[in-house]
Amino acid sequence: MRLHRLEITAFGPFSGTEEIDFDALSDAGLFLIQGRTGAGKTSVLDAVCFALYGQVPGARNAVKGLRSDHAPDGLGPRVVLETTIRGRRLRVSRSPAWDRPKLRGSGVTTEKARVVLEEREPGGWVGLSTRLDEAGDLISRLLGMNPTQFCQVALLPQGEFAGFLRAGADERRKVLERLFATEVFTQVEKWLADRRAATRREAAELSGAAASIAEAIAETTGARPPHGRRLVPEPRQGEPLLEPVETLPAWATELAAGHDAVRAIVEDLRAEVAATLTAARSAAQRGADLAERQRRHAGALARRAMLREHAEERSDLTSRLDTAARADRAASPVRHAAERAGRAAETRRRADYARAQVNALVTPNAAWDVLAKSESARREEAAALDARRGDVARLRQIDADRAVNARRVERAAPEEARLTAAVAELPARVEAHRAALDEARLASAGRQGAEAAVTEIAHRLDAARRRDRVEGLLAAADEARSAAIDAAQRARDRVQDLRQARLDGMAAVLAAELADGEPCRVCGSREHPAPGASLADVPTEEGVERAQAAYERAQAARETAASEVERRRAERDALVEIARDLTPAALGDELAAAKQALAAVDARAAEAVELEGALHRAQRELDETRDRRDRLVRELAGLRAGDGPLLAERDRLSAELDRARGDDPTLEARVDRLVGEAAALADAADALRLAERAAEELAGARDRAAKAARDEGFRSPDEVLAAELSDEDQAVLRDRIRRFDDEEAAIRDLLADPALRAAAAEPAPDLPSLQAALDSAESAHTAAASAADRARQRCDRLADHRARLAAAVAAWRPAAERHEVAERMAGLASGKSTGNRRDMSLSAYVLAARLEQVVAAANDRLDRMSAKRYALVHTTDKAAGDRSKGGGGLGLRVADAWTGLDRDPVTLSGGESFITSLALALGLADVVTAEAGGTEINTLFVDEGFGTLDEETLDEVMDVLDALRDGGRAVGIVSHVAELRARIPAQLRITKQRAGSTATVAV
């Protein structure tokens, strides 16, 4: 991966848009990212990581607000990165979520995070994705790294690796687990632990099931459990599980044999008692049958005597049924004649009443055909008059229409006069509003110029005030710069004097280190006859280093003060160009006058808005009034023109209707009278016809009734009706006779039965004695059967329990064996088993192998940076104070070639810790890169830590970093150390200002 261009907008400390050309920096191979503390050096790396993965490294990712606090309202945060990954030129444009001001109203609204991923093709940029998850997944697959691995490989945060160097096993494990995909081994450990617990639960459940069955067997048989109160105690971890359950089947078999013998004895006893019960039951049944036959024979004799006493009643019932049968055959003609008599009387009454109603319309006692002719004449006249009903309705409608038209004309006349007057008055009002509006618009036309004048004068006033403040700040900064120059010069002189003094006294320093028998570091001689001496005090190396550090601080303060003077002078010049030589008071007076003029223009503009609304309302009112007047005039003309035809039609219809109604008050009354008379005549004619027909039918019915009565032996029709019985009464008589017949037949059958006659000749049986013997036999049989059933059920339950117990033991045995295997495997994988000789868990073992690779890669660089003195050593021992099982394998020691001993990393000095952790970081980056698939990182960043190095060590470290450039790799160093600015000409300078930081590339 190589970075080409980075564009940062409103991100972190950068308030505006900053563009960084990494191609220019990468051409130098080694470049420096420098700036004051808090300027935003690390924020550049945050922007790179955010563009690729949508998150920033470390704890800073927990902070949700990535937008710059210095950015102007409405400017959204955005990062654009152009990079080449695996030969593909990509451009990532990513914006975090942020709160922007609402376009309408007050308050803010949340803008969602966005991303645009593009690829450079021969024809230009081609979009690949705009989805956050899809873009991140594509970049992760191309790089072969997750965000944590990328931050460790490409950004090399030194503070974290110094902590990693000194950390204990747990902290070191967490870092390595984030970088290497060892989750599968941790999952294997967890799976084995879960498997151990699961198999333990399974074996315990199955042993508990076997114990429950054994307890059921003990409860069924009344025996004691074989191992005391608890049959199968729950095993503890590490104990065998096979012994207690194995003896249960044999114990159950022994119990089953005893209960089978008891069951056989009880079954024999039940068979003997059953034979006795059968004999007693047969004797009791024979006695009961004999008593029942004797009772039935005596009952038949008694019923025969009672039947003979009812012979006369039976004869009377038969005679009544015969008379009723003859009456039924003659009853129909007799009843028909009675019905005809009633109908004839009713029709005669109706005919007399109807004739009385129409006596005034025709001659008295007129026949029904005369009445029918009179009815027909009246109906024809009514039909002719009914056709004129439409003329009556039309006459009423004409009167109603003329009345409505008259009222509308009467109401509309005053409204017509009012609208005519309004149409004459409104045009003058419209013209007055239009003239006033033109005048107001002309007065408000200069608002834009007045507003621009206010803005310009306010800007100049603000510049004048800031100009006066900056003048004082510039003078103070100039004095601070002079003081810093003097202090830096004094510190430089001090360093040079100390170095010269140390060079002059170096012979005395070497002489002080000589020992008898040891070779001299200058000439190699083991004899030292005349060692050198110095009369003055020789500065120590530590003193020289302190003076050098003080000089560097003074030089940095000098550069800072100079930068401050230049910044203040540039700011002052820009403000003078805006405000010129005017005072704030004079500009304030100009601003007040400009604001007053603007307010006057705004007042005239508001007046123009009101006048425009009044003009529109007046014009609309004039148009509406004209339209209403024209419509009303047309309506009145139509009403007046339509009244004449209506009046002529009314006169014609009135004359015709007067002739048609005659003496009746109205045409409707005449029609109603004729229709009513015709209906009365029709009713009377119909009634007369029905009365004549009913009299003829009555005479015929009476003749038929008399003949039917004589034929059935009755003297008159009245005797027929008296002898008649209903079907219900006849059914009662027939049922009574049938019961007499049935009773006689049943008695005859019983007395003829030979079994009943034989039973009547025998003596009566002793039923109480027979029942007592039967009860005694049944009681004995019930007791024996109950005992046999209990024995059988106990044996059956016991057999069922034995089968279940055998199955439970068979299921429990392999589960216990599986648990023992799982127990051993989980103990080995967790490092807590005695079989694990290293006391290392599986995941720790894998991480130890990775750490061993990292140490090997780190020592290649540490050997050069430490002048072959130090080397990292990977140990499998646990850290001091670590009492946990399975925690070994991640130890680190430092081998010191000067002493031949291994040291704890915490004993290293600051500079030694830096070079060691840097080597460790570079080695880890190599291993992680190879682990991720060998993705080449062509742009690498090293973040801080160089201030702890002396010049010689710094040279060694710079040589190692220079070696990283092999193959076209670019290395960026993030530091504010002053000496690196002189060593590395290619720089990305981050400048911190009150309004936000800026970035400048200097090559």
Side-chain angles (χ1 to χ4, degrees):
M1 181 197 74
R2 176 175 292 279
L3 304 182
H4 300 291
R5 187 180 72 88
L6 177 66
E7 181 183 312
I8 308 174
T9 301
F11 184 88
F14 301 100
S15 59
T17 299
E18 305 297 329
E19 185 173 346
I20 300 173
D21 187 359
F22 278 110
D23 284 335
L25 295 172
S26 300
D27 290 341
L30 187 66
F31 61 91
L32 176 67
I33 302 177
Q34 62 97 1
R36 297 172 58 190
T37 301
K41 301 184 296 296
T42 305
S43 295
V44 175
L45 309 186
D46 290 348
V48 172
C49 187
F50 177 77
L52 293 173
Y53 292 99
Q55 62 185 62
V56 297
R60 297 188 298 280
N61 191 52
V63 180
K64 299 301 181 185
L66 297 177
R67 182 178 181 272
S68 174
D69 295 333
H70 304 284
D73 293 341
L75 181 60
R78 183 167 176 260
V79 175
V80 180
L81 176 66
E82 291 186 21
T83 179
T84 297
I85 305 176
R86 295 185 183 270
R88 300 174 64 177
R89 181 74 174 258
L90 303 177
R91 181 169 66 187
V92 188
S93 303
R94 194 185 292 269
S95 298
W98 65 289
D99 294 334
R100 65 165 177 80
K102 291 184 177 179
L103 300 179
R104 296 180 179 177
S106 59
V108 297
T109 184
T110 300
E111 285 281 347
K112 295 182 180 180
R114 295 188 179 127
V115 66
V116 177
L117 178 61
E118 302 168 286
E119 183 175 5
R120 185 69 174 269
E121 299 289 348
W125 292 101
V126 177
L128 297 181
S129 177
T130 58
R131 291 178 50 184
L132 297 174
D133 54 349
E134 190 176 48
D137 181 66
L138 177 58
I139 292 175
S140 297
R141 283 190 286 105
L142 287 175
L143 286 174
M145 304 179 190
N146 58 36
T148 301
Q149 293 172 326
F150 176 79
C151 293
Q152 298 288 356
V153 170
L155 305 186
L156 299 184
Q158 290 306 309
E160 293 187 15
F161 278 95
F164 178 80
L165 181 65
R166 299 186 179 95
D170 289 340
E171 292 80 2
R172 199 168 287 147
R173 173 194 293 271
K174 294 176 182 177
V175 174
L176 293 174
E177 284 179 344
R178 287 199 309 268
L179 296 177
F180 298 105
T182 60
E183 295 86 355
V184 62
F185 303 102
T186 305
Q187 292 171 0
V188 168
E189 293 180 23
K190 184 178 182 303
W191 184 87
L192 288 173
D194 294 343
R195 181 62 177 169
R196 175 178 57 193
T199 54
R200 176 175 295 280
R201 286 193 300 271
E202 180 186 9
E205 291 174 358
L206 293 174
S207 65
S212 298
I213 298 172
E215 290 173 358
I217 292 175
E219 181 181 357
T220 300
T221 60
R224 293 177 57 83
H227 297 294
R229 297 185 62 186
R230 183 165 183 82
L231 291 175
V232 184
E234 181 161 348
R236 290 176 294 178
Q237 183 172 351
E239 293 182 353
L241 302 178
L242 296 176
E243 181 62 26
V245 184
E246 293 286 354
T247 60
L248 293 179
W251 168 74
T253 301
E254 182 180 356
L255 289 177
H259 282 275
D260 287 340
V262 172
R263 177 182 178 183
I265 295 172
V266 174
E267 288 291 343
D268 293 341
L269 178 61
R270 183 172 68 172
E272 295 176 1
V273 174
T276 302
L277 175 62
T278 301
R281 187 177 287 124
S282 298
Q285 184 63 41
R286 288 194 300 272
D289 291 343
L290 178 60
E292 175 63 20
R293 290 194 297 273
Q294 291 177 348
R295 183 189 62 76
R296 292 174 61 194
H297 187 269
L301 294 176
R303 289 165 60 191
R304 185 176 63 179
M306 291 178 61
L307 185 62
R308 289 173 179 172
E309 294 177 358
H310 292 82
E312 184 178 355
E313 178 185 358
R314 179 178 181 184
S315 176
D316 183 59
L317 292 175
T318 303
S319 177
R320 289 179 62 191
L321 280 176
D322 180 64
T323 302
R326 289 187 293 107
D328 286 343
R329 291 192 292 272
S332 178
V334 173
R335 283 196 297 272
H336 183 68
E339 291 175 0
R340 287 297 180 184
R343 186 180 302 172
E346 178 65 24
T347 55
R348 174 49 58 187
R349 286 194 298 272
R350 290 177 57 193
D352 293 342
Y353 176 78
R355 186 190 296 275
Q357 298 298 319
V358 298
N359 282 337
L361 302 178
V362 295
T363 58
N365 298 323
W368 66 268
D369 55 343
V370 175
L371 298 178
K373 291 178 181 179
S374 180
E375 173 207 358
S376 177
R378 283 171 171 76
R379 290 192 184 280
E380 290 176 358
E381 183 180 359
L385 294 175
D386 190 62
R388 303 302 300 270
R389 288 182 183 274
D391 295 340
V392 176
R394 176 58 183 163
L395 185 61
R396 293 196 188 102
Q397 183 63 41
I398 290 173
D399 291 340
D401 291 346
R402 293 187 67 227
V404 170
N405 291 342
R407 288 194 297 272
R408 291 173 63 187
V409 170
E410 183 180 358
R411 288 195 302 267
E415 180 68 13
E416 179 188 13
R418 186 186 66 79
L419 293 175
T420 302
V423 169
E425 175 191 356
L426 286 174
R429 191 192 308 173
V430 171
E431 291 301 325
H433 284 312
R434 182 175 289 110
L437 176 60
D438 293 340
E439 182 181 355
R441 284 176 174 172
L442 182 62
S444 62
R447 188 187 187 286
Q448 186 174 3
E451 186 177 10
V454 170
T455 303
E456 180 182 1
I457 296 173
H459 182 59
R460 291 171 62 194
L461 175 59
D462 182 64
R465 291 171 180 169
R466 291 173 57 196
R467 176 199 62 197
D468 295 343
R469 290 196 300 270
V470 171
E471 288 286 357
L473 295 175
L474 177 59
D478 194 38
E479 293 179 1
R481 181 185 62 176
S482 299
I485 291 173
D486 295 341
Q489 187 61 41
R490 288 194 299 271
R492 180 181 178 83
D493 295 342
R494 173 66 176 166
V495 171
Q496 291 177 348
D497 292 343
L498 291 176
R499 286 179 175 171
Q500 187 61 42
R502 182 165 178 80
L503 290 174
D504 294 343
M506 186 57 69
V509 173
L510 294 175
E513 297 178 354
L514 293 176
D516 293 338
E518 295 293 332
C520 176
R521 294 173 59 185
V522 178
C523 64
S525 174
R526 298 182 179 274
E527 296 180 358
H528 319 294
S534 174
L535 298 178
D537 292 336
V538 178
T540 63
E541 185 176 358
E542 289 78 5
V544 175
E545 291 178 353
R546 286 195 298 272
Q548 178 65 31
Y551 164 66
E552 291 176 355
R553 289 193 297 272
Q555 184 64 20
R558 173 182 178 179
E559 294 177 357
T560 301
S563 299
E564 180 68 13
V565 169
E566 293 300 325
R567 189 176 67 83
R568 292 298 180 186
R569 181 176 289 111
E571 184 178 4
R572 191 269 319 271
D573 294 341
L575 293 173
V576 168
E577 184 178 355
I578 296 173
R580 295 191 293 277
D581 57 349
L582 296 176
T583 63
L587 290 172
D589 294 339
E590 289 186 18
L591 180 60
K595 288 182 177 180
Q596 186 175 3
L598 178 60
V601 173
D602 288 340
R604 293 295 288 167
E607 182 181 356
V609 173
E610 294 179 358
L611 289 173
E612 185 176 4
L615 175 61
H616 289 166
R617 289 192 294 274
Q619 185 65 49
R620 186 169 59 251
E621 182 179 1
L622 175 59
D623 296 339
E624 292 176 353
T625 303
R626 284 175 176 168
D627 293 341
R628 290 172 57 193
R629 185 200 61 182
D630 294 343
R631 288 197 301 270
L632 189 58
V633 168
R634 289 193 298 270
E635 183 180 358
L636 287 174
L639 291 174
R640 293 188 180 103
D643 187 64
L646 290 176
L647 181 59
E649 185 179 2
R650 183 186 184 286
D651 294 340
R652 179 180 60 79
L653 292 176
S654 296
E656 293 177 356
L657 291 175
D658 289 342
R659 290 191 299 271
R661 72 172 182 269
D663 297 334
D664 292 305
T666 63
L667 181 67
E668 290 84 352
R670 184 173 182 81
V671 171
D672 293 342
R673 180 178 62 80
L674 292 174
V675 171
E677 292 177 354
L681 290 170
D683 291 342
D686 291 341
L688 289 175
R689 284 196 299 271
L690 291 176
E692 292 177 0
R693 186 181 304 118
E696 295 174 357
E697 293 175 354
L698 175 60
R702 285 176 175 172
D703 293 341
R704 289 188 295 274
K707 182 179 183 302
R710 290 192 300 270
D711 292 342
E712 294 297 333
F714 295 101
R715 292 188 297 272
S716 68
D718 293 337
E719 288 185 4
V720 173
L721 296 178
E724 187 178 15
L725 291 175
S726 65
D727 292 340
E728 291 79 3
D729 294 338
Q730 293 184 37
V732 171
L733 297 178
R734 282 193 292 272
D735 290 342
R736 180 66 174 163
I737 294 173
R738 185 165 49 254
R739 283 196 296 272
F740 280 124
D741 294 339
D742 293 342
E743 180 71 8
E744 183 179 5
I747 293 171
R748 188 168 50 253
D749 292 340
L750 287 174
L751 294 177
D753 188 355
L756 295 183
R757 290 200 300 268
E762 294 183 6
D766 187 2
L767 294 179
S769 298
L770 294 175
Q771 185 63 38
L774 177 61
D775 293 342
S776 176
E778 287 181 346
S779 177
H781 181 269
T782 300
S786 177
D789 289 341
R790 287 196 300 271
R792 179 182 54 77
Q793 292 174 1
R794 188 181 299 112
C795 290
D796 291 343
R797 287 198 300 270
L798 186 57
D800 180 63
H801 290 332
R802 286 178 58 205
R804 291 171 53 212
L805 179 62
V809 172
W812 165 82
R813 187 178 295 106
E817 295 172 352
R818 287 195 298 271
H819 172 67
E820 290 184 355
V821 174
E823 176 78 23
R824 290 195 301 271
M825 292 299 296
L828 289 172
S830 64
K832 299 177 182 179
S833 172
T834 56
N836 190 326
R837 291 173 295 176
R838 294 181 178 271
D839 290 338
M840 292 174 59
S841 65
L842 178 61
S843 59
Y845 181 80
V846 175
L847 292 177
R850 292 289 188 270
L851 183 59
E852 188 173 3
Q853 297 174 354
V854 171
V855 168
N859 283 333
D860 291 341
R861 297 181 174 89
L862 182 58
D863 183 68
R864 294 181 57 190
M865 289 189 285
S866 66
K868 299 186 179 298
R869 177 179 179 181
Y870 294 117
L872 286 169
V873 178
H874 167 238
T875 68
T876 59
D877 297 333
K878 291 189 289 187
D882 188 359
R883 298 292 184 265
S884 63
K885 285 276 190 179
L890 301 179
L892 282 179
R893 303 283 292 177
V894 178
D896 190 343
W898 290 7
T899 63
L901 301 175
D902 291 347
R903 299 170 55 182
D904 194 295
V906 299
T907 63
L908 297 176
S909 66
E912 292 170 339
S913 294
F914 170 71
I915 61 174
T916 305
S917 60
L918 177 60
L920 186 62
L922 294 173
L924 186 60
D926 291 343
V927 176
V928 171
T929 301
E931 179 78 10
T935 302
E936 185 177 2
I937 304 298
N938 291 323
T939 305
L940 186 69
F941 297 92
V942 181
D943 192 357
E944 290 296 351
F946 295 89
T948 60
L949 304 180
D950 56 46
E951 293 184 5
E952 183 177 354
T953 305
L954 182 60
D955 289 339
E956 297 292 342
V957 172
M958 294 302 295
D959 289 342
V960 172
L961 294 179
D962 281 338
L964 295 177
R965 295 185 296 172
D966 295 342
R969 179 184 291 175
V971 180
I973 299 176
V974 181
S975 180
H976 57 267
V977 176
E979 188 169 349
L980 290 177
R981 292 197 294 270
R983 286 174 173 263
I984 305 175
Q987 299 178 8
L988 173 59
R989 297 172 182 171
I990 310 299
T991 305
K992 180 172 66 174
Q993 298 177 358
R994 183 178 296 273
S997 298
T998 58
T1000 305
V1001 175
V1003 180

